Amino acid sequence: MKFATKAIHAGQNPDPNTGAIITPIFQTSTYVQDGPGGHKGYEYARTQNPTRTALQDCIAALENGKFGLCFSSGMAATDAILKRLKPGDEVIATNDLYGGTYRIFNQVFARYDIGFHFADLSDLSAIEALINPKTKLLWIETPTNPMLSVVDLKKIAALAQSYKIKLCVDNTFASPYLQQPLDLGADMVCHSATKYLAGHSDVVHGAIVTNDKRLADDLRFIQNACGAVPGPQDCFLVLRGIKTLHLRMDAHCKNAKAIAAYLQLHKKVAAVHYPGLKEHPQHLIAKKQMKGFGGMVSFSLRRDNMTAATLLMKNTRLFSCAESLGGVESLIGHPASMTHASIPYEERIKTGVVDSLIRLSVGVEDVDDLILDLDKALSKVR
Ligand SMILES: *Cc1c(COP(=O)(O)O)cnc(C)c1O
């Protein structure tokens, strides 16, 4: 089956009792057994739930993976992956990382004596220099947040395999429609399904997909033992969102490309970061490993200060100032004061997060209206 067909059908069969075409929301905590042990594959809802099973199978199919596991949030999925590690183990990660991931690494798992190293992962020699016998996990985001750098997944996967280190790719920004890391050699893919997978800014949800049965068994054990499972209503919303993932992603990509081109020509804009631009430093890698360049665009202003950025953001009407991304509606964010506020100034500047950096999650509205909205707001900036 091809992608669009899987998005609509994978994991989902009409309900055998009623014929309902849509997987029901199984809002139940337990399942009646014929007698002790005489169950139908469902015993207790932390362990299994049919709405969750349908979603897990659907997300696994989209990532071309065998095993899917869903969690109550993207961070809960990340937490489960890290819980496979032991004290003394080390992780190497992208330096331009989702803030919450940086926080769970440095402020939660560092307490359990797990070591974290951050590197510019577009430079393979920088990673190799950090690898040692304690290294157990490579953690990649591509495109990265908010600079939209692209990491060569095939090369990183080959490196990880040669050192027998597990590679996890946070595929939130691309979604499985644009990029399938397992096919390129990754061991695990994780998602904040809150973003493009669900796509409508109405649910918080996470997922992991793998082809490795041992990893899947380990992660399933943690999912059940620690219990950060999603409720059936949330699983229903994500399943429903996924049915239009391919349609939404095409629209996100088309709008983002037009907005990046518009911003590039604007005289008040200093730099535009979008993997679809020929000038993007990893444009060719993006072209090779992605089906499209995504809906995220970031840019900085010639007048590089917080005031200019704030003025711009106060004057957009369609782009709403909010955290998060990947919904049908357009959002605008200011990494330096929002998502990256906890990162020290010197660190932040090093990764390119300057004071005037603006991040757009380009929605699927009419692109003419979106450009007009940015144009009016930019006219207010001196
Ligand atoms: C939002 C996000 C997360 C965290 O997911 P939640 O669903 O908010 O817990 C992780 N990684 C990336 C890239 C994200 O954008």
Side-chain angles (χ1 to χ4, degrees), residues 325-340:
L325 61 112
V328 289
E329 55 286 285
S330 293
L331 300 181
I332 186 166
H334 182 231
S337 66
M338 295 167 71
T339 49
H340 289 57

Side-chain angles (χ1 to χ4, degrees), residues 155-278:
K155 278 198 183 149
I156 293 254
L159 182 79
Q161 270 159 16
S162 73
Y163 285 96
K164 297 196 164 41
I165 299 167
K166 298 290 181 209
L167 171 64
C168 177
V169 178
D170 180 336
N171 205 24
T172 301
F173 268 41
S175 90
Y177 180 62
L178 300 181
Q179 171 175 288
Q180 290 160 323
L182 296 179
D183 288 351
L184 302 175
D187 298 290
M188 287 168 272
V189 164
C190 77
H191 275 282
S192 168
T194 312
K195 317 292 169 54
Y196 288 108
L197 284 176
H200 294 74
S201 311
D202 52 9
V203 63
V204 170
H205 195 102
I208 305 172
V209 182
T210 180
N211 271 315
D212 181 329
K213 181 158 189 318
R214 271 193 57 192
L215 277 178
D217 288 345
D218 257 22
L219 291 165
R220 203 175 293 114
F221 172 80
I222 292 166
Q223 183 192 37
N224 181 52
C226 301
V229 292
Q233 169 93 29
D234 289 356
C235 293
F236 168 86
L237 285 171
V238 180
L239 261 177
R240 177 184 169 127
I242 284 176
K243 288 180 198 294
T244 56
L245 178 65
H246 51 295
L247 304 174
R248 286 184 284 109
M249 286 318 290
D250 279 339
H252 284 297
C253 290
K254 196 163 157 246
N255 283 359
K257 186 182 171 193
I259 285 175
Y262 156 78
L263 290 169
Q264 256 194 326
L265 294 176
H266 201 288
K267 61 182 190 305
K268 290 180 187 170
V269 172
V272 183
H273 311 286
Y274 184 63
L277 295 173
K278 279 199 284 300

Side-chain angles (χ1 to χ4, degrees), residues 38-307:
H39 59 79
K40 303 176 170 70
Y42 293 92
E43 295 149 278
Y44 182 63
R46 170 160 34 73
T47 322
Q48 313 103 342
N49 178 286
T51 319
R52 192 170 99 208
T53 304
L55 175 61
Q56 292 184 152
D57 291 350
C58 183
I59 295 181
L62 296 185
E63 287 286 2
N64 291 334
K66 288 199 189 87
F67 310 102
L69 295 107
C70 287
F71 293 84
S72 53
S73 68
M75 289 321 302
T78 302
D79 177 67
I81 293 170
L82 294 171
K83 279 180 175 149
R84 292 188 60 257
L85 302 174
K86 296 186 184 64
D89 287 350
E90 292 187 5
V91 180
I92 303 173
T94 332
N95 59 0
D96 188 18
L97 200 66
Y98 175 69
T101 306
Y102 190 77
R103 180 176 57 199
I104 200 173
F105 284 2
N106 283 336
Q107 294 185 47
V108 181
F109 282 91
R111 282 195 232 156
Y112 299 94
D113 197 25
I114 291 166
F116 294 94
H117 300 283
F118 301 91
D120 175 356
L121 297 190
S122 58
D123 177 9
L124 286 189
S125 64
I127 312 173
E128 254 186 309
L130 292 168
I131 294 178
N132 68 69
K134 292 179 184 170
T135 313
K136 294 290 150 62
L137 181 66
L138 283 180
W139 189 279
I140 310 290
E141 275 179 33
T142 178
T144 65
N145 177 29
M147 297 310 295
L148 300 160
S149 301
V150 173
V151 177
D152 191 326
L153 287 174
K154 218 171 184 172
K155 278 198 183 149
I156 293 254
L159 182 79
Q161 270 159 16
S162 73
Y163 285 96
K164 297 196 164 41
I165 299 167
K166 298 290 181 209
L167 171 64
C168 177
V169 178
D170 180 336
N171 205 24
T172 301
F173 268 41
S175 90
Y177 180 62
L178 300 181
Q179 171 175 288
Q180 290 160 323
L182 296 179
D183 288 351
L184 302 175
D187 298 290
M188 287 168 272
V189 164
C190 77
H191 275 282
S192 168
T194 312
K195 317 292 169 54
Y196 288 108
L197 284 176
H200 294 74
S201 311
D202 52 9
V203 63
V204 170
H205 195 102
I208 305 172
V209 182
T210 180
N211 271 315
D212 181 329
K213 181 158 189 318
R214 271 193 57 192
L215 277 178
D217 288 345
D218 257 22
L219 291 165
R220 203 175 293 114
F221 172 80
I222 292 166
Q223 183 192 37
N224 181 52
C226 301
V229 292
Q233 169 93 29
D234 289 356
C235 293
F236 168 86
L237 285 171
V238 180
L239 261 177
R240 177 184 169 127
I242 284 176
K243 288 180 198 294
T244 56
L245 178 65
H246 51 295
L247 304 174
R248 286 184 284 109
M249 286 318 290
D250 279 339
H252 284 297
C253 290
K254 196 163 157 246
N255 283 359
K257 186 182 171 193
I259 285 175
Y262 156 78
L263 290 169
Q264 256 194 326
L265 294 176
H266 201 288
K267 61 182 190 305
K268 290 180 187 170
V269 172
V272 183
H273 311 286
Y274 184 63
L277 295 173
K278 279 199 284 300
E279 296 78 8
H280 185 282
Q282 296 99 28
H283 174 65
L284 292 178
I285 301 170
K287 214 168 155 179
K288 195 177 63 178
Q289 71 189 21
M290 300 176 79
K291 187 180 184 320
F293 302 106
M296 301 300 294
V297 177
S298 60
F299 64 100
S300 57
L301 300 172
R302 289 218 186 276
R303 188 167 284 256
D304 183 34
N305 58 48
M306 297 261 190
T307 322

Side-chain angles (χ1 to χ4, degrees), residues 7-26:
I8 293 166
H9 294 289
Q12 297 156 80
N13 292 309
D15 177 47
N17 292 325
T18 61
I21 193 162
I22 295 301
T23 307
I25 301 167
F26 283 92

